[in-house]
Amino acid sequence: MNRTLANISAVPGEVKPQKRRTESARRPSFRQRRWVKGSLLPAAVIALWELGSLGGGIDPLLFPAPHTIIAEFWNMITTGELQSHLKISLLRAAAGFLLGGSIGLFLGIFAGMLRPVEDYIDPTIQMLRTIPMLALTPLFILWFGFGELSKVLIISLGAFFPMYINSFQGVRSVNAKLFEVAEVLEFSRSKQITKLLIPEALPNILLGLRLSLSFAWMALVVAELMGAERGVGYLIQDARSFMQTAVVFIGVLIFAAAGKLSDSLVRLLERRLLKWQDSYKGKN
């Protein structure tokens, strides 16, 4: 009886909430669809590469087949060789990024807030950031030797400039009227930084964080190629000397994967911290 009344009272064409939820749960999410779309081009390139290698149209010395690279990758994992090199590279990258990124963040904020600080340090920084990293690397080796200090300093230099520039730009993009209101409310300098300046400049700071991480990885390659006995960069250089092209590809792919992973983590942080920002997302 109750079931009959429920069927009679149901509006024709109405979708029950439970059924709607089930159908929406079965549909792939936006992130899953985006991940699939982003994987199509690399998958197509790898498939064509593999077919060309099997057909003999690609020189295996210059472009080893993907299955050969995968086999060599697995062999390096099982022997533990890859983990040892990757560990030292991650430590170098983290130390250099933390040193250079933190200094760039603080100097960018203070130069943006205080005009005298900008007048003293900004011209020198703008001049130094135009010097190619490869031109400075021999000097760092001469000054600090081939040890870890020179490598960490090279990485920190690469991470410093993007963080400084974007932090500075983030501070200068804050609405001046907000500082006037803060002065009327008698905010202290520290309160202005934590309650006003950092939240308003956060989009630029997070952009600087993304760029700083990418530049740190690039500087890591330069540091390890110039003079190192361990690390992924050294692995690439040593494999190039012995024409082990598959190992070179493995090293390049490791840097690419590490850079993509770090960038994705920062983008996740952006989505969490910038929920309030109603920015343009692009058309479907």
Side-chain angles (χ1 to χ4, degrees):
M1 182 68 178
N2 293 335
R3 186 179 305 169
T4 305
L5 291 174
N7 293 333
I8 294 174
S9 61
V11 179
E14 181 181 2
V15 181
K16 295 182 180 181
Q18 182 66 32
K19 186 177 181 181
R20 187 182 296 115
R21 284 196 297 267
T22 305
E23 291 179 353
S24 61
R26 290 176 181 175
R27 295 195 196 115
S29 65
F30 171 76
R31 293 180 185 175
Q32 289 174 340
R33 294 196 302 270
R34 191 173 182 182
W35 185 87
V36 171
K37 291 177 181 178
S39 303
L40 290 177
L41 181 59
V45 171
I46 292 173
L48 292 174
W49 184 0
E50 182 70 25
L51 291 174
S53 299
L54 294 176
I58 298 178
D59 187 357
L61 186 62
L62 299 178
F63 292 94
H67 71 270
T68 304
I69 297 176
I70 293 173
E72 183 64 30
F73 177 75
W74 179 252
N75 179 59
M76 294 177 68
I77 288 179
T78 54
T79 58
E81 180 184 5
L82 185 61
Q83 292 90 316
S84 63
H85 288 290
L86 182 59
K87 180 181 178 181
I88 190 66
S89 291
L90 288 174
L91 291 175
R92 286 170 180 161
F97 168 73
L98 290 175
L99 178 61
S102 58
I103 295 175
L105 176 64
F106 288 119
L107 284 182
I109 290 175
F110 285 115
M113 290 186 64
L114 305 173
R115 185 61 64 83
V117 177
E118 178 192 2
D119 294 339
Y120 279 111
I121 69 171
D122 190 70
T124 303
I125 292 176
Q126 297 301 330
M127 179 182 63
L128 290 175
R129 77 182 183 90
T130 61
I131 302 175
M133 186 68 64
L134 287 173
L136 292 175
T137 303
L139 289 176
F140 275 74
I141 294 176
L142 286 173
W143 293 338
F144 306 106
F146 287 95
E148 293 300 317
L149 180 60
S150 62
K151 298 176 182 57
V152 171
L153 290 178
I154 290 172
I155 298 167
S156 64
L157 186 66
F160 168 80
F161 295 113
M163 184 63 78
Y164 169 82
I165 293 170
N166 284 276
S167 301
F168 176 86
Q169 187 63 34
V171 173
R172 289 299 171 89
S173 64
V174 177
N175 194 336
K177 293 182 179 180
L178 296 177
F179 281 100
E180 295 176 2
V181 174
E183 291 177 358
V184 171
L185 296 175
E186 298 182 350
F187 277 18
S188 63
R189 180 67 70 179
S190 61
K191 200 170 183 179
Q192 288 182 16
I193 294 175
T194 56
K195 301 296 184 181
L196 168 63
L197 192 144
I198 296 294
E200 286 293 317
L202 194 58
N204 287 82
I205 292 175
L206 290 174
L207 175 61
L209 181 63
R210 289 180 64 185
L211 294 175
S212 182
L213 277 170
S214 63
F215 274 81
W217 283 112
M218 288 188 285
L220 172 66
V221 178
V222 174
E224 291 186 340
L225 286 177
M226 291 298 291
E229 296 180 355
R230 293 179 64 192
V232 179
Y234 165 76
L235 186 68
I236 294 174
Q237 181 77 353
D238 185 64
R240 183 196 64 82
S241 302
F242 292 97
M243 296 298 293
Q244 297 174 341
T245 317
V247 179
V248 175
F249 272 100
I250 291 171
V252 172
L253 291 174
I254 286 175
F255 279 123
K260 175 57 180 172
L261 178 61
S262 59
D263 185 75
S264 298
L265 291 175
V266 177
R267 295 189 70 175
L268 177 62
L269 189 63
E270 286 180 346
R271 287 195 292 269
R272 296 288 179 87
L273 297 179
L274 301 178
K275 289 182 179 179
W276 53 269
Q277 193 178 40
D278 187 18
S279 59
Y280 180 64
K281 306 297 183 182
K283 292 183 179 181
N284 292 326

